[in-house]
Amino acid sequence: MAKLNPYLSFKSEAKEALDFYRSVLGGELTVSTFGDTPMEGMPTPDEDKDLVMHGQLDAPGNLTIMASDTPSFMEYVAPTSGVTVSLTGGPDDHDYIKNAYEKLSDGATPGQPLELAPWGDYYGALTDRFGISWMFDIGTEQSAG
C-alpha cells in the first residue's frame, strides 16, 4: 500500500531535528551522512561529511518523517508557509497528540493553542524551533458522530 510522508529539508540541522522529533514521537531513527554514503564520481567536501544525506524516523502508529541536510554544492531552500506537517487522530490518540504538541512547543513560535474547536475536534498549530509548521487535530466521539 502506498504511503505519503513528509520529507523535510534543512541547511544543517536535520540530525538535531530528527533527534528532537524522536524524543517527541518515539520510534526508531536511522541516519546516513554524506560521509557514510559518498556519491560515485563526486568527492564529498569535508564540510559536508557530517551532514545528513537521508534520515528517517519511524514512529509508532505507522508515522514516518524523513529529512536531509543541504550539502555545499546545492542551494538551500527554506520551508515555506504552504507546507505543514499534520498530526491527527481520534479519541484514542488524544494523549499521544497532546503530548507531541506540548513537547514540540518547546522553543516554538505559537500558533493556535490545542483546544476544543468549533467543529468539535481538538485543534492546535505551531511552528517548531526548526521552522517546521505543524497542525494537530484530535477527533472526538462527538465530532465522529
Side-chain angles (χ1 to χ4, degrees):
M1 172 177 248
K3 186 176 171 184
L4 184 63
N5 303 306
Y7 200 109
L8 309 176
S9 295
F10 296 93
K11 177 68 179 154
S12 61
E13 306 84 14
K15 178 69 167 84
E16 182 184 355
L18 286 167
D19 283 338
F20 179 59
Y21 299 149
R22 179 177 52 187
S23 77
V24 169
L25 301 170
E28 296 293 321
L29 176 61
T30 56
V31 174
S32 299
T33 65
F34 283 92
D36 295 337
T37 318
M39 295 193 293
E40 191 173 324
M42 179 179 260
T44 302
D46 286 341
E47 68 265 25
D48 294 342
K49 289 186 183 210
D50 292 330
L51 294 178
V52 174
M53 179 181 245
H54 176 75
Q56 182 166 322
L57 173 62
D58 293 310
N62 206 24
L63 304 175
T64 300
I65 294 178
M66 294 180 271
S68 64
D69 287 319
T70 306
S72 60
F73 55 87
M74 294 176 69
E75 181 182 352
Y76 173 66
V77 178
T80 67
S81 61
V83 176
T84 301
V85 176
S86 179
L87 182 58
T88 64
D92 293 343
D93 305 305
H94 187 99
D95 290 342
Y96 180 79
I97 294 172
K98 181 180 178 194
N99 186 48
Y101 174 87
E102 290 171 353
K103 288 181 176 180
L104 285 164
S105 294
D106 182 23
T109 302
Q112 170 71 34
L114 184 62
E115 58 192 16
L116 194 59
W119 59 88
D121 291 1
Y122 285 87
Y123 175 83
L126 56 81
T127 300
D128 73 23
R129 65 171 98 165
F130 300 100
I132 304 300
S133 296
W134 289 78
M135 176 174 57
F136 307 85
D137 188 276
I138 308 165
T140 61
E141 294 296 334
Q142 177 184 353
S143 66

